[in-house]
């Protein structure tokens, strides 16, 4: 089967012949550097009130590992996009 693949698209086979195309997943945790050694870590799952799932735990751990070795970081501010900081653990 020939098909054109858009850059950044994710393709997965389901069953023997079905091809499903989805948009690339956006990161649930975004790290932004500000002036003066301040780093903002933003939780961004607004549809779930920023409830933490395993992907978010992994992304937070990855961000923490990167920031802990950076001597230029003086402060880390964690906040959530949308109307909630974090609803807790996503049990679904």
């Amino acid at each position: 089967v020939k098909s054109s693949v858009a850059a950044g698209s994710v393709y997965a086979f389901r069953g023997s012949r079905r091809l499903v195309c989805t948009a690339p997943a956006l990161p649930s945790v975004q790290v932004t550097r500000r002036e003066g050694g301040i780093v903002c870590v933003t939780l961004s799952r607004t549809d779930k009130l920023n409830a933490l799932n395993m992907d978010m735990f992994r992304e937070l751990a990855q961000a923490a590992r990167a920031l802990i070795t950076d001597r230029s970081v003086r402060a880390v501010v964690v906040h959530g996009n949308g109307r909630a900081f974090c609803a807790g653990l996503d049990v679904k």
Side-chain angles (χ1 to χ4, degrees):
V1 176
K2 291 183 180 180
S3 64
S4 61
V5 178
S9 294
V10 177
Y11 289 87
F13 286 97
R14 303 240 176 175
S16 61
R17 301 184 92 180
R18 233 178 267 213
L19 183 65
V20 177
C21 174
T22 59
L26 295 174
S28 301
V29 176
Q30 293 140 4
V31 178
T32 308
R33 294 181 179 271
R34 307 280 185 203
E35 287 183 33
I38 298 171
V39 175
C40 291
V41 176
T42 306
L43 306 178
S44 188
R45 279 186 76 212
T46 55
D47 58 322
K48 300 291 184 180
L49 298 176
N50 299 317
L52 299 169
N53 61 11
M54 285 310 294
D55 289 336
M56 284 184 79
F57 277 118
R58 286 185 197 102
E59 291 177 34
L60 281 169
Q62 181 181 4
R65 281 191 298 273
L67 294 172
I68 202 165
T69 59
D70 187 343
R71 305 288 252 160
S72 68
V73 175
R74 296 182 59 219
V76 177
V77 178
V78 181
H79 65 100
N81 271 342
R83 61 180 205 194
F85 165 66
C86 179
L89 184 63
D90 187 351
V91 295
K92 289 186 181 182

